[in-house]
Amino acid sequence: MSLIHAPILTAAQMRAVDSATIRDEPISSVNLMERAATACVDWLLTHLPDNTRYHAFCGMGNNGGDGLAITRLLLERGHSAHAYLIDYGAPMSADAQINLQRLQAIAPTQIHTIRLANDLPTLSANNDKNDSPICSIDALLGTGTARTAEGLLAHVITTLNQLSTADGVHTVAIDLPSGLLSDAHTPANWPAIHATHTLTFECAKPALLWAENAERVGAWQTLPIGLSQKAIAAANSPMQLVTAEWVHTQHKPRGKFSHKGIFGHALLIAGAHGTVGAAILAARACLRGGAGLLTVHSPQCAYVPLQTAIPEAMVQTDTHERLWRDAIEIEKYDAIGIGCGIGQAAETRAALRTLLQTIAARADAPRLILDADALNILASEPDLFKLLPPNTILTPHPKEFERLVAHLSLDTTTDAQRHQAQLTLAQHYNIIVVLKGAYTCTALPDGRSFYNTTGNPGMAKGGSGDALTGMILAQLAQGYAPDVAAILGVYLHGAAGDAAAQKYGQRAMLPSDLIECLS
């Protein structure tokens, strides 16, 4: 699979990229810092009101140097800005010293050295007659965090966290909220900045994508600062962000003389008494997603609802009135999706086992995606894993995922552990694991993982997962490779969710709205 993505880099990888840029461009480290500070100031002046008062809290390392440079650039552009140098006993970096001297040369009265907790200013837009908004800039540690903050530094972090947007104060973290580890779990009791926005440089860091850090990261934005693209590529990161540019490279346009047979025949095994809606949602998403033909296998109770709701689909009824129990012939199908609303009755468990045995016995087996109850059955009967053909796609939500990896005794307590467990599951069984969430992550058997960049909280409603299953099934039926089908399906599903949120609002939108917005 040839992919055009945005790499996600660890702190160590970013330091190597910085060094390579300095060496190969060439550019001095302090001028590279100036470039980063300029990008931050451009963002601040674009996104915050013109009358914002800026207060930069600067550490002794290069992140503090960023803050000092940002303060100077804001002053040079005519804005109110103060720098607070937090002297917590560490030596000052060379580039931070240079930027301190530059700021002293133009505005010495705007620099305040903080050595005691009582020296900290009180920031609130509502505590004086000046009601202009305030932005506190976190330039204390950035990606330089290696251990828990203590003493004065911990006090500063705690104090900044007591500010809120309700008081007219926004907190913008530079590169990474101080106190947060870049690529490992940060214990909940560690002092760490709770930013409203995080401005990170060139590449995302793993910590930005983990749910456990959401309150500390806030909304985040990657700012390009001209780092060496050759060095970024050489980092060969196994973690990537999926971009719109990649989607355009993968999309297969339809030819003038195309016909339905070209775009595949999908089989969807879904629905049971009381959950026929799951089958309808998945089927509609599959057809909206581009499959040429779709057959839905459901119990007899689903026949009329399916034929009425989705006349474009063919319906194959089970001999059972309320659930799936029949063996199914699979020869004519290009891809099979199993699980949405099927339940976990004994007959259904047996039917799933029989079908997986049939698929495993075929060299030319259809491509396969499992979701929902199929995953729950798999988790409770882990010997079924050995029947999954290579590159089978699993699409669990977090609780389903925990059940799936329980037989491997993998720890999923933290987001970092959960990501490693996801990779282990994918590699152990040579399958593709799509772990659903805010940045849905697709893990491949070769150790790579791809974080999605579309979607919104309005999609957190029952039925959204059924729509995703249908979307991915459609891509499999059309002949996309399983890894591309999974990543592409997730991206398009999220993009449709964003379109639905624009049309209906996040609270009001439904999964069926999402499907209608797939265009």
Side-chain angles (χ1 to χ4, degrees):
M1 175 174 56
S2 176
L3 294 172
I4 301 173
H5 293 285
I8 302 165
L9 299 187
T10 65
Q13 288 171 324
M14 284 304 305
R15 286 192 293 270
V17 169
D18 285 345
S19 297
T21 303
I22 291 167
R23 180 188 68 242
D24 298 338
E25 187 169 335
I27 185 174
S28 68
S29 58
V30 74
N31 284 343
L32 186 59
M33 184 178 287
E34 186 80 359
R35 192 185 289 174
T38 299
C40 290
V41 170
D42 289 343
W43 188 94
L44 291 168
L45 299 185
T46 300
H47 291 83
L48 296 182
D50 288 342
N51 63 337
T52 299
R53 292 176 286 161
Y54 295 92
H55 297 262
F57 294 83
C58 308
M60 304 299 283
N62 282 345
N63 195 238
D66 291 332
L68 293 165
I70 289 169
T71 304
R72 172 174 47 81
L73 292 171
L74 286 167
L75 289 168
E76 288 175 348
R77 298 194 194 185
H79 293 270
S80 171
H82 291 259
Y84 301 87
L85 185 62
I86 311 302
D87 186 356
Y88 48 88
M92 197 171 197
S93 74
D95 287 347
Q97 289 182 31
I98 292 172
N99 272 299
L100 178 60
Q101 293 165 1
R102 290 177 176 176
L103 182 55
Q104 287 171 331
I106 69 162
T109 61
Q110 304 302 100
I111 306 169
H112 315 274
T113 300
I114 307 297
R115 295 188 176 90
L116 299 172
N118 290 338
D119 295 336
L120 279 173
T122 300
L123 299 185
S124 174
N126 300 322
N127 66 358
D128 57 29
K129 295 180 180 180
N130 187 345
D131 61 355
S132 58
I134 286 178
C135 174
S136 63
I137 298 171
D138 163 33
L140 296 169
L141 295 170
T143 58
T145 300
R147 56 187 177 84
T148 184
E150 298 174 336
L152 177 61
L153 195 55
H155 178 80
V156 172
I157 290 173
T158 301
T159 300
L160 290 180
N161 285 342
Q162 292 170 349
L163 305 173
S164 71
T165 53
D167 297 323
V169 179
H170 294 267
T171 300
V172 177
I174 305 303
D175 213 6
L176 200 70
S178 294
L180 195 66
L181 295 172
S182 175
D183 36 79
H185 169 66
T186 304
N189 62 348
W190 279 27
I193 288 291
H194 287 209
T196 50
H197 290 83
T198 296
L199 306 180
T200 199
F201 299 129
E202 204 72 48
C203 296
K205 284 70 179 177
L208 299 174
L209 301 162
W210 294 338
E212 64 191 23
N213 296 328
E215 290 186 3
R216 295 181 274 200
V217 169
W220 61 273
Q221 176 71 41
T222 302
L223 303 181
I225 59 171
L227 294 182
S228 168
Q229 295 304 303
K230 180 180 178 181
I232 291 172
N236 197 28
S237 174
M239 300 174 66
Q240 307 276 328
L241 286 176
V242 182
T243 65
E245 290 76 16
W246 173 80
V247 171
H248 290 301
T249 67
Q250 296 300 318
H251 176 255
K252 298 176 182 179
R254 298 198 165 201
K256 184 176 181 64
F257 295 98
S258 298
H259 57 82
K260 62 187 178 184
I262 292 176
F263 303 112
H265 192 167
L267 170 65
L268 176 66
I269 303 171
H273 186 265
T275 54
V276 177
I280 292 173
L281 289 169
R284 185 172 287 143
C286 183
L287 288 168
R288 285 282 186 192
L293 293 165
L294 171 65
T295 295
V296 183
H297 184 96
S298 282
Q300 293 176 19
C301 65
Y303 180 75
V304 171
L306 283 167
Q307 291 277 254
T308 304
I310 318 168
E312 298 89 350
M314 295 170 280
V315 180
Q316 178 186 97
T317 55
D318 202 274
T319 57
H320 200 287
E321 173 69 22
R322 300 165 69 92
L323 53 81
W324 169 38
R325 71 176 177 190
D326 292 350
I328 300 173
E329 295 183 0
I330 62 173
E331 288 76 11
K332 63 182 179 181
Y333 302 113
D334 299 294
I336 302 176
I338 313 171
C340 300
I342 61 172
Q344 300 180 55
E347 298 98 321
T348 300
R349 289 172 174 272
L352 177 61
R353 181 177 291 273
T354 298
L355 180 60
L356 292 180
Q357 289 170 339
T358 300
I359 291 172
R362 293 179 62 93
D364 59 343
R367 293 161 174 167
L368 186 62
I369 174 172
L370 302 183
D371 184 39
D373 285 319
L375 300 179
N376 292 325
I377 295 170
L378 189 65
S380 63
E381 302 179 33
D383 65 300
L384 293 175
F385 273 100
K386 68 179 183 293
L387 298 177
L388 300 180
N391 292 309
T392 292
I393 300 171
L394 310 186
T395 57
H397 59 56
K399 286 297 182 183
E400 290 168 342
F401 176 73
E402 289 176 10
R403 293 192 283 269
L404 283 171
V405 300
H407 71 287
L408 297 176
S409 299
L410 299 174
D411 199 339
T412 58
T413 305
T414 70
D415 285 327
Q417 291 169 335
R418 189 174 294 110
H419 181 247
Q420 186 55 54
Q422 184 186 2
L423 291 170
T424 300
L425 183 66
Q427 292 171 315
H428 189 78
Y429 291 111
N430 196 23
I431 57 177
I432 296 168
V433 182
V434 177
L435 181 53
K436 294 180 283 196
Y439 297 100
T440 294
C441 180
T442 301
L444 305 185
D446 62 9
R448 291 181 296 163
S449 57
F450 300 88
Y451 283 84
N452 190 46
T453 53
T454 58
N456 64 82
M459 299 168 67
K461 291 184 174 76
S464 289
D466 303 317
L468 176 61
T469 297
M471 273 298 300
I472 297 176
L473 178 60
Q475 310 318 306
L476 288 173
Q478 291 172 85
Y480 288 96
D483 49 5
V484 174
I487 299 168
L488 183 61
V490 168
Y491 184 95
L492 296 175
H493 177 257
D498 290 337
Q502 286 281 358
K503 186 173 182 180
Y504 299 102
Q506 291 186 8
R507 291 184 184 275
M509 63 175 283
L510 298 173
S512 52
D513 299 325
L514 179 161
I515 295 166
E516 296 307 310
C517 289
L518 278 169
S519 60

